[in-house]
Amino acid sequence: MKKFIYIPVVLFVLVLASCQKRFEELQNNPNIATSVPPDLILNRLMNGVAGGMGGIEPWGAVARYNQYFCRNFEYYGDNQYNWNSGPFSIYQDILKNVVQMEAEAAKSSGTDKTPYHAIAKFLKAYYYYNLTSLMGDVPMSEAAKALDGILQPKYDTQKEIFLQILKWLEEANTDFAFLKSSTNLTVKGDIYYGGDYDRWRKLVNSYKLRVLIALSKKDTDADLRVKQRFQEVLSNPASFPVFESMADNFKYVYITPTNNYSTNPVSFGFDAIRYNMAETYVKNSAETNDPRILVTCEPAWKLVNDNGWAPTDFRAYVAAGTGEAMDVMESKAHSYNVCHINRYRYYRTFTGENFIIAGYPEMCFNIAEAINRGWATGNAEDWYKKGIQASIAFYGIAEGTNTGYYLPIGKTLGEWTTANFNFNFTTYYNQPKVVYEAGAAGLNKILLQKYLSFFQNSGWESYYNYRRTGVPAFSTGIGIGNNGNIPKRWAYPSNEQQRNATNWKTAVDRQFTGADNINGEMWLIK
């Protein structure tokens, strides 16, 4: 009889379990995805690279901080460096999606050796390089781990972060080589290289050279091994392939109507006159008769008209200092006493020019700098020349006669005037301010040419290089805020003081003696 007593109980438990399972099924919304293919996440991440890290797209805020152009109309903003809240938002969006992409790729393939994991290593290296370069110590080893219960991540030291960045890049190079030779795994959503693992290897190794150059003040650190790593890349191209030409550039291609270039026919009426060129870029170009400004800028039309000069006369290429007071700059710009953006190149179409995130000219200059510093063997002048030539060719400037297109005062978009100019590389290169020489003077020329090649490209690199070397000298004054000084870092987001107070205070005390100051010197530049 006892065994029959348990029958109702067992039936009740089975029914209850069935109801519970049915209840859980009803809780799942069939219209909401519980899993996302890694390629969809990758596609979003790939598009985000060109616009992340505080407005790095062409003619964005970072190009103003790099002193390539200025705003002269206060209603649309100013040229101040009020860096009071660093870009921690990438933790909640970009880096979280990178981690999720890795998880989805492992789930669907059963391995963590997928192209999505290799690309993820590059993306983490890219974003952490910028995060730490902008602020100093930041959360890394405990970041993006809220699901593991870590809501208040510690701040890793900048040295620890750079060591991990180098590790990610070196692992990515190895992983891409393995993927090509030992697997048939492919990748979707790669808008840059279409799943070409050889080109990805060139990128991660060329980017590694960028990171090593950024560590120039730490080139004797035994853990970082800056000189040794740089020489290792140059001396072993089979194991560490790098960019070979402009075709290898990590570049974002604008496609209309889904993603228009920053300046285009629609924005012409709003900002074509309210933006003007910056003195740091224009003056350093005009002093050497650099043909690139004949393509990127329009002359100061008042000087052209008053003196009867051609639009290609370098004497007409003058610009406003970023540090000038806004009213002074506005007066100069609206009376055409300074250069404006070349409206033919930058407002005529919706696609503009490709945005280079990391490119061949920069790599050439980085190699030239390393050889100049004695880190590696080779011919610094050859690499220096290659960098200049590649940058000039990017603008379609060729040996012989070239045509410049300009929009005179009072004309509407499309009413262009043209003027021819001649270019001879040997003549340009042999100028005293351009031709290479050994030692510190040659290093300064490399750095200046690198700056000119970064125009509207490569995100924060112009600022990082200025902060690291002082070349070229940036404009200062009342117009940039911060008591007329270029800041050395971004402050941490203000809400870090509430949500992660202990770790925030530890990081600030460790680096900046207790003050989260935008003029404080981080480890990287000491």
Side-chain angles (χ1 to χ4, degrees):
M1 288 293 295
K2 288 185 179 180
K3 62 182 178 182
F4 294 106
I5 295 174
Y6 292 102
I7 291 175
V9 176
V10 172
L11 289 174
F12 175 75
V13 170
L14 291 173
V15 171
L16 182 63
S18 176
C19 290
Q20 178 66 24
K21 182 179 180 182
R22 176 63 178 159
F23 178 72
E24 290 174 352
E25 290 175 350
L26 290 173
Q27 282 186 309
N28 293 327
N29 186 342
N31 296 316
I32 299 177
T34 57
S35 181
V36 180
D39 58 286
L40 294 184
I41 304 175
L42 178 63
N43 187 268
R44 178 178 177 181
L45 288 168
M46 292 285 91
N47 278 283
V49 172
M53 301 311 303
I56 66 168
E57 68 278 358
W59 306 103
V62 177
R64 293 200 313 278
Y65 300 143
N66 289 336
Q67 300 202 354
Y68 291 123
F69 82 112
C70 306
R71 281 175 168 163
N72 62 58
F73 191 62
E74 194 167 8
Y75 181 80
Y76 284 162
D78 52 38
N79 304 302
Q80 295 193 17
Y81 292 71
N82 293 326
W83 292 354
N84 296 319
S85 185
F88 264 33
S89 61
I90 73 162
Y91 285 114
Q92 285 74 48
D93 183 10
I94 296 170
L95 291 172
K96 185 170 67 175
N97 281 331
V98 172
V99 173
Q100 187 62 31
M101 180 179 70
E102 291 177 300
E104 296 290 349
K107 184 167 62 176
S108 61
S109 67
T111 177
D112 63 357
K113 292 291 185 182
T114 73
Y116 299 100
H117 286 85
I119 293 174
K121 288 176 180 177
F122 169 76
L123 290 174
K124 286 187 282 189
Y126 172 82
Y127 282 109
Y128 275 108
Y129 166 75
N130 280 289
L131 268 176
T132 190
S133 296
L134 290 173
M135 287 176 282
D137 298 356
V138 295
M140 180 190 66
S141 58
E142 294 183 352
K145 292 188 177 181
L147 294 178
D148 298 328
I150 301 177
L151 302 179
Q152 295 177 319
K154 71 175 183 178
Y155 284 58
D156 297 85
T157 68
Q158 200 164 44
K159 178 178 175 178
E160 291 170 336
I161 295 166
F162 269 95
L163 283 168
Q164 180 61 59
I165 289 168
L166 291 168
K167 184 172 185 288
W168 276 323
L169 293 171
E170 289 165 358
E171 288 178 350
N173 175 55
T174 301
D175 291 349
F176 282 123
F178 167 78
L179 287 164
K180 181 181 179 181
S181 63
S182 306
T183 76
N184 60 358
L185 294 175
T186 58
V187 60
K188 296 179 181 178
D190 175 11
I191 64 173
Y192 291 99
Y193 294 131
D196 186 328
Y197 301 144
D198 287 335
R199 297 179 74 192
W200 273 104
R201 290 184 73 196
K202 291 179 182 180
L203 169 63
V204 297
N205 291 312
S206 300
Y207 199 84
K208 178 180 170 182
L209 298 184
R210 171 189 284 187
V211 174
L212 292 170
I213 282 292
L215 291 164
S216 66
K217 291 183 179 292
K218 306 298 177 182
D219 64 356
T220 60
D221 188 287
D223 299 319
L224 291 166
R225 298 174 49 250
V226 173
K227 300 176 185 178
Q228 296 91 326
R229 290 181 200 263
F230 209 105
Q231 178 62 45
E232 182 182 40
V233 172
L234 294 192
S235 61
N236 195 349
S239 298
F240 300 98
V242 295
F243 292 154
E244 297 178 64
S245 70
M246 295 291 279
D248 294 324
N249 287 345
F250 187 53
K251 63 182 182 293
Y252 190 80
V253 179
Y254 290 90
I255 301 173
T256 187
T258 54
N259 196 10
N260 295 330
Y261 189 76
S262 304
T263 55
N264 55 65
V266 171
S267 62
F268 172 78
F270 294 97
D271 55 34
I273 303 301
R274 293 160 184 155
Y275 292 161
N276 55 267
M277 303 306 295
E279 183 180 53
T280 304
Y281 172 67
V282 173
K283 187 173 185 292
N284 280 293
S285 300
E287 286 180 347
T288 56
N289 297 332
D290 194 308
R292 285 170 284 191
I293 59 170
L294 303 181
V295 175
T296 60
C297 311
E298 288 184 359
W301 283 110
K302 190 171 189 306
L303 295 179
V304 169
N305 295 336
D306 287 354
N307 294 284
W309 295 340
T312 53
D313 193 314
F314 286 103
R315 291 173 295 179
Y317 286 80
V318 296
T322 301
E324 289 184 5
M326 183 70 79
D327 58 339
V328 174
M329 185 185 298
E330 182 179 10
S331 175
K332 289 180 178 180
H334 288 219
S335 61
Y336 292 88
N337 276 289
V338 293
C339 295
H340 288 85
I341 300 170
N342 187 296
R343 288 167 281 187
Y344 178 85
R345 185 174 184 88
Y346 296 111
Y347 285 98
R348 181 172 49 95
T349 73
F350 287 93
T351 53
E353 64 191 25
N354 297 335
F355 173 49
I356 300 174
I357 303 166
Y360 176 73
E362 176 198 355
M363 187 204 72
C364 293
F365 293 125
N366 286 341
I367 294 173
E369 178 177 346
I371 296 171
N372 177 281
R373 290 182 180 276
W375 294 1
T377 58
N379 190 315
E381 183 175 19
D382 283 351
W383 286 106
Y384 174 64
K385 280 185 175 181
K386 288 178 183 178
I388 298 172
Q389 289 169 320
S391 176
I392 290 174
F394 173 74
Y395 296 99
I397 300 169
E399 288 280 325
T401 302
N402 296 266
T403 302
Y405 292 81
Y406 311 98
L407 191 64
I409 299 173
K411 299 295 184 179
T412 59
L413 197 63
E415 297 180 302
W416 317 111
T417 187
T418 61
N420 292 335
F421 63 92
N422 291 314
F423 172 67
N424 178 272
F425 179 76
T426 301
T427 301
Y428 170 76
Y429 181 76
N430 285 333
Q431 295 178 97
K433 291 187 177 182
V434 179
V435 67
Y436 182 74
E437 54 190 305
L443 177 59
N444 287 344
K445 290 178 180 180
I446 293 169
L447 294 167
L448 178 57
Q449 286 292 336
K450 188 194 299 188
Y451 172 80
L452 299 179
S453 76
F454 278 148
F455 181 76
Q456 302 305 324
N457 284 302
S458 303
W460 285 95
E461 284 307 299
S462 292
Y463 167 75
Y464 295 158
N465 278 268
Y466 155 76
R467 183 182 61 183
R468 176 174 66 92
T469 68
V471 180
F474 273 22
S475 171
T476 58
I478 189 173
I480 66 171
N482 191 36
N483 295 316
N485 300 307
I486 306 290
K488 295 179 180 176
R489 59 179 292 270
W490 282 74
Y492 296 116
S494 57
N495 57 12
E496 276 291 283
Q497 298 179 45
Q498 287 79 45
R499 67 186 181 188
N500 196 10
T502 300
N503 292 314
W504 170 85
K505 188 175 188 307
T506 298
V508 170
D509 289 347
R510 180 170 64 214
Q511 299 172 93
F512 311 117
T513 60
D516 190 0
N517 184 355
I518 65 175
N519 299 306
E521 284 197 347
M522 60 181 70
W523 169 86
L524 181 64
I525 56 175
K526 287 182 178 178

